Amino acid sequence: MNNKLCIVIPCYKVENHILDVLKKINFNYVDHIIIVDDFCPNKSGFKSKKKFNNKKKFTYIFLKKNLGVGGATLEGIKLALKKEFNYIVKLDGDDQHDFKTIKDFFKIFKSKKNVNCCKGYRELSLLNLKGMPIIRFFGNIFMTYIFRIISNKYYIKDVTNGLIGFDKKIIKKINLNQIKKNFFFEQDLLFNLIKKRAKIYQIKTKTIYADEK
C-alpha cells in the first residue's frame, strides 16, 4: 500500500466537465478516486456514478448539505485516510487541471523521500494569462503576496491553485476540523502544512479555461 495514490474530487455544478475529467485519469498510477457531491443542485455526482461505478476504483460521497469546496474536499480526505492511501491529491472537477501534473506528483513522492507535499503553480504574469479571467489573475497575485507575508515563506507560488497533494503522514498531523471550508480552503490547508514543517515541492502546471465565469 506504500505507493497507493487516491484522488479526491469535490463536485459542485461541474456536470458539464466531470465525465471528461474521469475519462482522463490514468489508473497506471492512480489507484482510487473519491468523488464528493457537495449537495450539487445539478447532481454532478449522480451523473458521474451512472458512467463510472467500479467499486474498486470509485467511491462516491453524497453530502446532505452544501459544505463548500473545502468542506467537500475535507470529507474526501478523511475517507482517503480511513482507507489508508499513502498519497492523496485534491483535483477540481471542472477539467481545468493538467493531468500530467498528477503523474509528476506521484514521481516526486516516490523519488524524493523528504517531500511530503506537492502543489501546482501557474506563471502569474500579464504575458502568460492564457484565458484566465483578469479579476482572478489579480486576485491570485494579491492572495499569494499576502500568504507569503503571513507565512514568511516567500518561495511559495500561486496559493489559489487547486491542485495539491500530500502524503498521509503529514496530513494526519493537522486537525482537519479546523481547516476553513470556503474558498480559502487551499490557503488555510497550505498554511497549516507549513506550520507542521511540510517539505513542499512545487511543479509548474497549466490551467485550461473554457466557460469560466
Side-chain angles (χ1 to χ4, degrees):
M1 183 65 83
N2 286 340
N3 291 327
K4 297 292 185 179
L5 185 147
C6 177
I7 292 179
V8 174
I9 307 177
C11 291
Y12 187 78
K13 294 185 178 181
V14 292
E15 69 282 354
N16 294 330
H17 302 287
I18 186 62
L19 297 183
D20 290 333
V21 169
L22 298 180
K23 288 176 185 177
K24 293 176 183 177
I25 292 176
N26 189 335
F27 285 101
N28 288 328
Y29 52 88
V30 175
D31 296 280
H32 199 76
I33 300 171
I34 296 175
I35 297 172
V36 187
D37 185 300
D38 191 19
F39 200 59
C40 176
N42 300 331
K43 301 187 182 301
S44 301
F46 287 99
K47 289 181 179 180
S48 61
K49 189 174 183 180
K50 286 182 180 180
K51 294 286 185 179
F52 300 89
N53 197 22
N54 182 334
K55 292 183 179 179
K56 292 183 178 180
K57 296 293 184 181
F58 296 88
T59 298
Y60 291 86
I61 300 174
F62 295 95
L63 300 180
K64 295 183 179 179
K65 66 177 181 178
N66 181 264
L67 298 181
V69 63
T73 303
L74 289 169
E75 291 300 312
I77 291 174
K78 290 174 183 177
L79 181 58
L81 289 174
K82 287 182 181 179
K83 290 179 175 290
E84 289 295 319
F85 289 104
N86 206 48
Y87 307 117
I88 303 168
V89 175
K90 182 259 186 182
L91 173 72
D92 290 338
D94 54 11
D95 201 20
Q96 290 187 1
H97 291 143
D98 183 359
F99 286 80
K100 179 181 176 296
T101 310
I102 301 173
K103 186 176 183 179
D104 291 339
F105 281 7
F106 185 61
K107 288 180 177 178
I108 292 300
F109 283 133
K110 288 184 66 177
S111 62
K112 297 184 181 295
K113 300 304 181 183
N114 63 324
V115 172
N116 44 32
C117 176
C118 287
K119 68 177 294 294
Y121 74 90
R122 298 155 292 189
E123 286 291 352
L124 297 177
S125 72
L126 287 171
L127 298 176
N128 198 36
L129 278 175
K130 293 184 179 180
M132 181 186 292
I134 194 69
I135 192 169
R136 175 167 288 191
F137 169 76
F138 286 111
N140 288 355
I141 291 177
F142 175 77
M143 288 297 300
T144 297
Y145 277 109
I146 292 297
F147 184 91
R148 289 172 174 174
I149 293 170
I150 293 173
S151 66
N152 198 32
K153 301 296 181 182
Y154 288 88
Y155 65 91
I156 296 294
K157 306 173 182 178
D158 189 15
V159 298
T160 63
N161 195 299
L163 189 55
I164 185 170
F166 29 78
D167 69 26
K168 66 179 181 181
K169 293 180 180 179
I170 192 67
I171 201 67
K172 281 183 175 181
K173 295 181 179 181
I174 295 173
N175 185 347
L176 296 178
N177 294 322
Q178 293 182 353
I179 301 296
K180 293 184 185 301
K181 297 179 174 62
N182 55 21
F183 284 102
F184 293 106
F185 161 73
E186 283 91 357
Q187 295 87 60
D188 196 29
L189 179 61
L190 188 59
F191 185 76
N192 276 273
L193 286 166
I194 289 173
K195 285 172 63 177
K196 297 300 180 182
R197 298 183 179 181
K199 301 298 182 182
I200 300 171
Y201 193 95
Q202 300 179 97
I203 298 175
K204 184 178 178 180
T205 185
K206 62 181 180 180
T207 301
I208 302 95
Y209 294 96
D211 55 355
E212 177 74 5
K213 300 293 188 296

